[in-house]
Amino acid sequence: MATAPDSGKPTAAQALAPDSGNRKASDQSIYESIYEAVLTQRLPPGSRLPEVALSELFGVSRSIIRKALTRLASDHVIEQRPNQMAMVARPDVEETRQIFAARRLVEGEVLRLTAGTLSKARLQELKRLVKDEKSAHQSGRDQDRVHCSMEVHRFLARHCPNQVLGRMMRDLVLRTSIVIALYKSPGMSACFLGDDHARLAELIAKGEGDQAAALAHRHLRALEDLLDLNEADAAIDLARILRPDA
Amino acid sequence: MATAPDSGKPTAAQALAPDSGNRKASDQSIYESIYEAVLTQRLPPGSRLPEVALSELFGVSRSIIRKALTRLASDHVIEQRPNQMAMVARPDVEETRQIFAARRLVEGEVLRLTAGTLSKARLQELKRLVKDEKSAHQSGRDQDRVHCSMEVHRFLARHCPNQVLGRMMRDLVLRTSIVIALYKSPGMSACFLGDDHARLAELIAKGEGDQAAALAHRHLRALEDLLDLNEADAAIDLARILRPDA
DNA sequence: CCGCCATGCGGTGTATACATTTCGGGCTCG
DNA sequence: CGAGCCCGAAATGTATACACCGCATGGCGG
């Protein structure tokens, strides 16, 4: 069989194309390009990332690419196996549940710490993001909506007084995005649950940390419940491979 | 001045010497060697890690060393600044407080999840570690005591049902070890507070997750309070540099 | 016709050569 | 005598060459 048994493994060329114009990119900018592409689901889980292709794309040698890939692997963005091409991570169901549990814990505390500490200008920015997300949702620009939705959470992570926790939350937001792309039911409007984000911004502005944390907890629980996490275990993979007709 | 203004910057040769026998070490083993050396405080904060020296020590080329160093930097074990030698991280006071706060949050949840889930054999191992720590303490083998103390926490992180949280805790334990080495008052018996570890093991065995979390919370708070975190701000550094006599 | 092995290709793993930067010692000039 | 400049040693940054590995292909033999 030429086609892969599991989810597709497209090449990275297309999803990263907008960045190819940046000649002589540093390993930091390459890291961010791939990170962003994975975050916004332009690079779906399982996408292959050949070093040579990337080095030509970004106009640097493989040394730089390898450094960027090593860092991405450390952040659980990609998986690297010996003598094999790196690919965007595909966490299993168990890890997915753990990611959600960890994020509920960390994001809750981040919100408690952040509530009431943001300047007026920062609150403006936050509400701007929420508004942009809503408008993107209403005009059906799904790519933009996902981007803004992620940015809401990343904004809160970035401005948390405890940057150690903030950094953890940043990583968990990315991994959440990956597992949503992996396990979302077809057609679900991922991560747009009513105006949770708007209400969250309101609670953050008013300094209601505990209520913000509780809201985020429900938000993430609802999100997890929307995913196809029941059947899709390793058993399914095996069954589909061994009995492609059924 | 030949002597550095801040804490010492010894070369890495001595602390890593026991590993030099392993010719042709992989980047994974090099990563672990340095990680372990930092964890047990054989490599104090600020230690310099020149790539060429390490490559000769381990008998590999700089490529491998650079990969290991990149990963260590991702885990906040070392700091890498452009065109400068890597050195073991030296978090400032603010980051230190954030590390403790993050660890209280994460370790608390890890203990809640782990309590009551360990097999008899695993509980044996845990109590063995606690006993070894105590005996090392009583015979004054400080190196061994630190090692066992770290291993108690790492053991719990490794066997947490939620491995995403477990991995976070592993990283936080290391960073805690670093800041203890940095800020401990001279002569304090770092991280040996009564029989907290023994009582912790007891609560884990009995499945008392909440009580275990509460104990760890107090344990970590007490540990943080033992550190010199009041004065030692950037102001001190500046004062010492500008007025070496006072 | 089916299955097995050899071989080529495309990928990563590692070492090394060379460019560039930093930092310090020592010379020179004011 | 002191301040500033120059330069070289030693470190990192980058590119590249080559070895090795895995996989797919296609020919060959049963």
Side-chain angles (χ1 to χ4, degrees):
Chain A
M1 285 208 308
T3 59
D6 39 25
S7 79
K9 295 176 182 174
T11 184
Q14 191 175 349
L16 291 170
D19 304 293
S20 62
N22 308 342
R23 278 280 147 148
K24 282 291 172 186
S26 68
D27 72 281
Q28 175 65 18
S29 68
I30 294 171
Y31 170 90
E32 287 170 2
S33 289
I34 299 180
Y35 196 104
E36 170 78 10
V38 173
L39 183 71
T40 60
Q41 309 184 355
R42 293 200 309 272
L43 276 180
S47 303
R48 301 170 90 98
L49 300 167
E51 296 178 1
V52 282
L54 294 174
S55 71
E56 290 167 5
L57 231 176
F58 289 103
V60 297
S61 82
R62 277 177 53 216
S63 316
I64 318 292
I65 301 296
R66 284 177 73 79
K67 178 165 184 178
L69 290 180
T70 298
R71 292 180 52 197
L72 289 166
S74 267
D75 293 349
H76 305 97
V77 180
I78 66 173
E79 291 169 5
Q80 264 184 319
R81 302 234 296 279
N83 291 310
Q84 229 160 305
M85 283 175 21
M87 66 161 64
V88 177
R90 294 206 299 96
D92 59 24
V93 173
E94 178 59 22
E95 188 177 347
T96 299
R97 293 213 162 89
Q98 295 179 359
I99 289 168
F100 269 99
R103 185 169 158 188
R104 278 192 289 272
L105 178 76
V106 173
E107 183 156 1
E109 183 69 6
V110 164
L111 294 177
R112 268 187 290 272
L113 293 175
T114 307
T117 69
L118 263 43
S119 69
K120 274 210 156 84
R122 288 277 147 77
L123 287 170
Q124 268 323 88
E125 282 185 71
L126 179 56
K127 285 174 182 173
R128 179 82 216 164
L129 281 173
V130 172
K131 195 172 295 183
D132 286 350
E133 182 197 6
K134 190 171 184 180
S135 95
H137 175 62
Q138 290 173 339
S139 28
R141 287 172 290 120
D142 210 64
Q143 194 86 332
D144 290 349
R145 183 190 56 71
V146 171
H147 176 80
C148 290
S149 174
M150 293 295 114
E151 280 307 316
V152 167
H153 295 283
R154 283 165 63 82
F155 180 91
L156 293 166
R158 196 159 46 237
H159 295 100
C160 175
N162 186 329
Q163 269 309 288
V164 173
L165 279 175
R167 168 73 194 215
M168 287 178 175
M169 175 166 156
R170 166 186 176 273
D171 293 351
L172 288 170
V173 167
L174 174 81
R175 295 170 83 174
T176 307
S177 176
I178 291 178
V179 298
I180 289 175
L182 242 186
Y183 293 111
K184 72 178 173 205
S185 350
M188 75 175 261
S189 64
C191 198
F192 190 84
L193 281 61
D195 354 292
D196 277 358
H197 286 174
R199 289 195 292 159
L200 193 59
E202 204 59 44
L203 291 171
I204 291 292
K206 287 196 293 189
E208 304 276 6
D210 286 332
Q211 288 193 48
L215 175 60
H217 199 283
R218 289 196 304 274
H219 179 76
L220 290 168
R221 179 73 72 184
L223 203 50
E224 183 178 354
D225 287 343
L226 282 180
L227 265 36
D228 272 343
L229 259 34
N230 302 322
E231 31 188 330
D233 217 333
I236 273 290
D237 280 354
L238 270 181
R240 284 207 182 129
I241 292 169
L242 300 175
R243 296 170 45 194
D245 48 318
Chain B
M1 287 210 306
T3 60
D6 38 27
S7 79
K9 296 177 182 174
T11 184
Q14 191 174 349
L16 291 169
D19 302 293
S20 64
N22 307 343
R23 279 278 147 152
K24 282 292 174 185
S26 68
D27 72 281
Q28 176 66 17
S29 69
I30 294 172
Y31 170 90
E32 287 170 2
S33 288
I34 298 179
Y35 196 103
E36 172 76 9
V38 172
L39 183 71
T40 61
Q41 309 184 355
R42 293 200 311 271
L43 275 180
S47 304
R48 303 170 89 104
L49 300 168
E51 296 177 2
V52 283
L54 293 174
S55 71
E56 291 167 5
L57 230 176
F58 289 103
V60 296
S61 81
R62 278 177 52 216
S63 316
I64 317 291
I65 301 296
R66 284 176 72 80
K67 179 166 183 178
L69 291 181
T70 299
R71 292 180 52 197
L72 289 166
S74 266
D75 292 348
H76 306 96
V77 180
I78 66 173
E79 290 169 5
Q80 264 185 318
R81 301 232 296 280
N83 291 311
Q84 231 161 304
M85 283 177 21
M87 67 161 63
V88 178
R90 294 207 298 98
D92 59 24
V93 173
E94 176 60 21
E95 190 177 345
T96 298
R97 292 213 162 90
Q98 295 179 359
I99 289 168
F100 270 99
R103 186 169 159 188
R104 279 192 289 271
L105 178 76
V106 173
E107 184 156 359
E109 182 69 5
V110 164
L111 294 177
R112 267 187 289 272
L113 293 174
T114 308
T117 69
L118 264 42
S119 69
K120 275 212 155 84
R122 288 278 145 76
L123 287 171
Q124 258 340 72
E125 283 186 70
L126 179 56
K127 284 173 182 171
R128 179 82 216 165
L129 281 174
V130 173
K131 195 172 297 183
D132 286 351
E133 182 197 4
K134 191 172 186 179
S135 96
H137 174 63
Q138 289 172 340
S139 29
R141 288 172 287 122
D142 210 63
Q143 194 87 330
D144 290 348
R145 185 191 55 72
V146 171
H147 176 82
C148 290
S149 175
M150 292 296 114
E151 280 307 316
V152 168
H153 295 282
R154 284 164 62 84
F155 180 92
L156 293 166
R158 196 159 45 236
H159 295 100
C160 175
N162 186 331
Q163 269 310 289
V164 173
L165 278 175
R167 168 73 195 216
M168 287 179 176
M169 176 166 156
R170 165 186 176 272
D171 293 351
L172 288 170
V173 167
L174 174 81
R175 296 169 83 174
T176 306
S177 176
I178 290 178
V179 299
I180 288 175
L182 242 186
Y183 294 110
K184 71 177 173 205
S185 351
M188 74 176 260
S189 64
C191 197
F192 190 82
L193 281 61
D195 354 293
D196 277 359
H197 286 173
R199 290 195 292 159
L200 193 60
E202 205 59 43
L203 290 171
I204 291 292
K206 287 196 292 188
E208 304 276 4
D210 287 331
Q211 289 192 49
L215 175 60
H217 199 282
R218 288 195 306 274
H219 178 77
L220 290 168
R221 178 74 71 185
L223 203 52
E224 183 179 355
D225 287 342
L226 283 179
L227 265 36
D228 272 344
L229 293 179
N230 302 323
E231 32 187 327
D233 217 335
I236 274 290
D237 281 354
L238 269 181
R240 283 201 182 138
I241 292 169
L242 299 177
R243 296 170 46 195
D245 49 320

